[in-house]
Amino acid sequence: MVFDGILLSLIIGFIRGGTLKGLADLSLKFGWVFPILLGIQLFVFFFQDRVAILEQFSGFLFILIYIIGMCFLWMNRENKGFTLLLIGVFLNFIVMALNGGRMPVSYEATVIALDPIYADILKEGLYGKHMMLTESTKLGFLGDVIPITSPYPKSQVISIGDIIMNIGIFIFIQHLMLRHKRRQATTKAA
């Protein structure tokens, strides 16, 4: 869902006359942290089924990645949209932390939005950083419970935290892409 939000933000930014120059000027505190966290998360995601120790500790690793990611967002909170991004990540973190480092996914939402094979995989166990939402799930309403289907081009199941994160990402990218317009307006006014 995050990548969808980034792509949508870029498209709308271009429609509004924005450019990528603002993205090139981006300077984040500890900006190197985010790509490393993304790389570790992808590594765990793809290899946890093949490496026993990763399978055993993947839930813990996902929680650790979220904690470091939230610290990164907090240190850069002066950027437009980062507060909402942090809130969304925090909501996803809470539900994952309370459920063993896994994001609970609603079976009903999965059946509506996804291939039935995905629901069967979740019933049998874990998939990536996801697990089936059950009666014993804590704060299940914060899990992936919202189905998105047509006319949206990619059917998926998302959480409240995902929605808030994407609003934050949208605001951040719009701010960067339209920075040159604000500078031009300031120059003309001076």
Side-chain angles (χ1 to χ4, degrees):
M1 181 69 185
V2 172
F3 296 112
D4 295 359
I6 292 170
L7 182 61
L8 181 64
S9 299
L10 290 171
I11 292 169
I12 291 176
F14 285 126
I15 291 171
R16 294 178 67 198
T19 68
L20 296 178
K21 290 179 184 173
L23 296 173
D25 295 338
L26 178 63
S27 176
L28 298 172
K29 296 172 193 162
F30 301 98
W32 49 269
V33 169
F34 183 73
I36 291 175
L37 291 178
L38 182 61
I40 293 171
Q41 189 168 356
L42 289 173
F43 179 81
V44 173
F45 181 84
F46 287 113
F47 291 101
Q48 66 182 343
D49 293 339
R50 301 177 195 163
V51 181
I53 194 163
L54 272 182
E55 184 177 2
Q56 185 178 356
F57 292 106
S58 61
F60 170 77
L61 289 171
F62 287 131
I63 292 299
L64 185 61
I65 289 167
Y66 269 73
I67 290 171
I68 295 170
M70 287 189 295
C71 291
F72 168 75
L73 292 170
W74 176 257
M75 287 186 286
N76 290 284
R77 66 187 178 281
E78 72 277 2
N79 290 287
K80 293 254 184 208
F82 267 44
T83 301
L84 282 176
L85 189 53
L86 177 60
I87 291 169
V89 172
F90 181 68
L91 292 176
N92 284 349
F93 166 77
I94 289 173
V95 69
M96 289 177 67
L98 293 175
N99 294 288
R102 303 287 174 179
M103 174 58 84
V105 182
S106 161
Y107 176 77
E108 292 78 14
T110 303
V111 169
I112 291 170
L114 303 177
D115 189 313
I117 293 172
Y118 186 76
D120 291 341
I121 292 171
L122 281 173
K123 274 183 174 177
E124 294 172 8
L126 304 174
Y127 177 77
K129 62 180 181 182
H130 299 92
M131 60 182 250
M132 186 61 69
L133 192 152
T134 65
E135 290 180 5
S136 63
T137 301
K138 296 174 179 83
L139 297 180
F141 70 96
L142 291 177
D144 285 347
V145 297
I146 304 167
I148 297 180
T149 61
S150 180
Y152 193 77
K154 180 180 164 194
S155 295
Q156 54 192 308
V157 181
I158 64 172
S159 68
I160 294 169
D162 291 338
I163 293 170
I164 295 172
M165 283 170 41
N166 276 286
I167 293 170
I169 289 168
F170 182 83
I171 291 170
F172 177 62
I173 291 177
Q174 294 302 301
H175 177 75
L176 292 177
M177 289 185 74
L178 298 171
R179 180 179 282 173
H180 70 285
K181 284 189 166 186
R182 289 190 303 275
R183 285 182 182 157
Q184 289 171 352
T186 304
T187 303
K188 286 180 183 176

